[in-house]
Each structure stands twice: as C-alpha cells, then as structure tokens.
Amino acid sequence: MADLSVDFAGLKLKNPFVVASSELTNKIEKIKMAEEHGASAVSTKLTFLKVPLYARPYHIIEKEGAFYSPSGERMWVEWTQELIQECKEQTELKVIANMMGPGGDIDAWVKLARMLEEAGADMVELNMSCPNLGLMAKQVGKDEKPTLGAVIGKDPELAGTVCKAVSDGVKIPVMAKMTPEAETMIVSEACWQNGAAAVSAINCPQSLPPLDIKNGGRPMYPSTGNQSTAGLCGPWIRPLAYRHIAQIRTRCPDLPLAGGGGLMNWRHSVEAIMYGATTLTYCSLLYLKGYKAFAKIEPGMRKFM
C-alpha cells in the first residue's frame, strides 16, 4: 500500500491532510470529527493576546461564482490554550496554533507564541495575511502608516523580523502564512532565512461582493452593507494557489511548504504536491462537503501512487 506519511518541518504526519485555520478548528468537537475522518493535523482558529474586534462568523456561497467570507470569529489566547490541551488529551493530531500579535509590539508576538507552546502546540503559524497596525513597522525603523490588507505579509523585512523574534523565542517550529497579495516567493525566502521552519500558502485573496446596479450600487450579499474587503475562498482560487506554491518552491527548493487554496479532490491534491507542496491544507472543501470528503481523497491518492 502507498505510504502517505509526511515529515513536515519535524512534524511526523500520517498523511498530508491538514485542516486549515477557520471556524472548523475552534472547538474540540469539530477537531475530533476531523481526526475521525482522516486528518493528520489541524491549524487552530486565529488567536490573539487580546481580541481586537468581535465579529460573528458568516460565509456567503454563490453557486458557480464565489465563496465569500466577510467575517470570522477570533479566539483569545486562554481559549486557544484550553483547546490545545483538549486536543493533546483527546486526539492524536498534530496541533498547529494560528496566531497574530498586536501591531505595536513585536515582543508580544513572542509572548503569545510561548503561551501557545506551553499549552502543547506542536507548531505556531504566524498569520501575516490580515491588517496589522503600522506601529510595529516603526519599531524596525520603517515609516509606514496603518493600512488595510496584509501589511506584514507584503513586506519581506517586517516578515523576517517577526519570524526571527518568534523563532528565537520558542523551541517548536514556526510557520509563516503567506498572503497572495504579495510576492510570496520573496517573503517566504525572507521568513526562511530568519528562522521560519515552514511557510503555508495561500491565504484568501481580498475581494468585494457584487453590486445591485439598479439600487445605487448597494452590495448584493446580505449583511455586507458595512463590510470592507473580504476573503475569497473556494475552488475559484486554486489556479492562483498553484502559482504561488510553484513560485515559492522554485525560489526555496528545500523549504517545507503547506500548500492549499481551493483543493477539492484527490487530483487537485496531487497537483498541489507536484507543484511543490510538502503537505496540504483544506478549508472550503470541508465547509462545502464535510469531513467525509477525506474518505474520497485518501483512496484516490493511494491508487494514483
């Protein structure tokens, strides 16, 4: 029988199936279900030392058009610590803790990573794909104003600075999550050169909803009247993910890479590995088809191998 096991930056995985950070990974019941259906690891929902804003999670699926994600629940560190401990006690999964420090304090990134490490996380995933205040940029001598978008993930110097600080501050592997709004191969290289053990690519590209052109240009989707850009998820971003995976692999031939973005079946999974992914991340597939989707991906990959 074909062997699907993977050594990912020191993590021994029984297969390359990792559940990406999302509302799929914020409660132990969901995480246990992921393991029952074949996942080898989970990346817990984004956590902060102090949650900067509260929002109810919701996603809008436009058939044959989009998986639009304008809002998601954030976790505070004590919640995530408890969740990690539950995972280590009740599952055999490897636990990757997705995290973001405050914009104004690099030391706080290190503090948060240490707290997650102490709780039992096997790896921390530095989320460089969401808005970050420009205060942190000033700490490293860059005159940058706060902006919308993935500030850290667009700047190789900032990304490298954060990776070095966190990598020096913890003993577990550090992974940096890339934004497709950047030259990911350059940012990935900077992270790797500054201590990151791996990168994940890609997070969702930014998007806006369609408009009602006969009603003053109001957003068509419900509950998006006061929303800014949102993540575009699902199979529609897969070719973009392939491009970023391939470019990172070309630039960094030996860098462990968690590749994902719209992977919907075993063939897509094989393609992502051929493009350069070391292991694979899934999110939209599981929202749309449930964890039972792994039951088709695994035998498909084994038969192909």
Side-chain angles (χ1 to χ4, degrees), residues 1-289:
M1 181 180 292
D3 181 10
L4 297 186
S5 64
V6 179
D7 184 332
F8 181 62
L11 301 189
K12 306 297 183 183
L13 306 180
K14 65 182 181 181
N15 60 45
F17 308 147
V18 180
V19 182
S21 175
S22 63
E23 280 79 26
L24 297 167
T25 59
N26 65 353
K27 289 184 171 61
I28 187 61
E29 293 80 11
K30 301 175 188 177
I31 291 173
K32 288 171 70 174
M33 190 181 300
E35 182 180 41
E36 290 168 5
H37 286 80
S40 64
V42 295
S43 177
T44 54
K45 179 62 181 174
L46 175 60
T47 191
F48 298 86
L49 280 172
K50 182 179 180 181
V51 177
L53 58 93
Y54 292 88
R56 66 179 178 88
Y58 70 100
H59 313 280
I60 300 167
I61 300 170
E62 180 182 329
K63 187 176 181 181
E64 305 299 333
F67 187 139
Y68 182 78
S69 182
S71 180
E73 188 173 45
R74 281 86 171 174
M75 297 176 69
W76 55 92
V77 63
E78 291 81 8
W79 178 3
T80 306
Q81 286 179 307
E82 182 177 349
L83 179 62
I84 292 170
Q85 290 166 358
E86 290 175 331
C87 289
K88 304 310 288 186
E89 292 170 357
Q90 301 180 40
T91 79
E92 299 297 323
L93 294 169
K94 298 298 182 183
V95 181
I96 302 166
N98 187 285
M99 55 157 281
M100 181 184 292
D105 190 352
I106 293 177
D107 292 338
W109 282 75
V110 179
K111 177 181 178 181
L112 176 55
R114 285 175 176 165
M115 293 176 74
L116 298 171
E117 177 184 34
E118 290 167 1
D122 298 293
M123 172 184 280
V124 289
E125 181 178 36
L126 308 183
N127 192 319
M128 299 183 171
S129 314
C130 294
N132 289 271
L133 295 176
L135 289 174
M136 192 175 66
K138 290 182 171 60
Q139 278 192 279
V140 293
K142 297 177 72 70
D143 185 15
E144 184 171 332
K145 297 179 181 179
T147 59
L148 292 175
V151 176
I152 294 179
K154 289 182 178 179
D155 188 319
E157 184 180 348
L158 280 177
T161 298
V162 174
C163 283
K164 179 168 177 52
V166 177
S167 298
D168 289 347
V170 297
K171 295 181 175 63
I172 58 176
V174 173
M175 177 163 65
K177 189 164 188 176
M178 297 293 104
T179 169
E181 310 296 331
E183 291 290 340
T184 53
M185 58 182 176
I186 297 173
V187 179
S188 293
E189 184 177 42
C191 292
W192 192 25
Q193 291 175 344
N194 284 278
V199 298
S200 55
I202 55 174
N203 207 333
C204 302
Q206 296 178 31
S207 64
L208 285 169
L211 301 175
D212 184 347
I213 62 175
K214 296 183 179 180
N215 188 24
R218 299 175 65 86
M220 290 285 284
Y221 295 154
S223 302
T224 55
N226 63 347
Q227 292 287 344
S228 62
T229 57
L232 178 65
C233 318
W236 309 276
I237 72 169
R238 187 173 62 256
L240 179 64
Y242 287 166
R243 190 258 288 185
H244 284 280
I245 292 168
Q247 288 181 331
I248 294 170
R249 175 57 64 227
T250 301
R251 184 86 171 212
C252 307
D254 301 317
L255 175 62
L257 168 57
L263 306 182
M264 303 300 289
N265 55 46
W266 72 264
R267 182 178 294 274
H268 299 160
S269 303
V270 171
E271 289 174 348
I273 291 171
M274 285 184 166
Y275 272 121
T278 311
T279 192
L280 305 165
T281 61
Y282 301 88
C283 185
S284 298
L285 168 68
L286 307 178
Y287 273 107
L288 297 171
K289 297 186 178 182

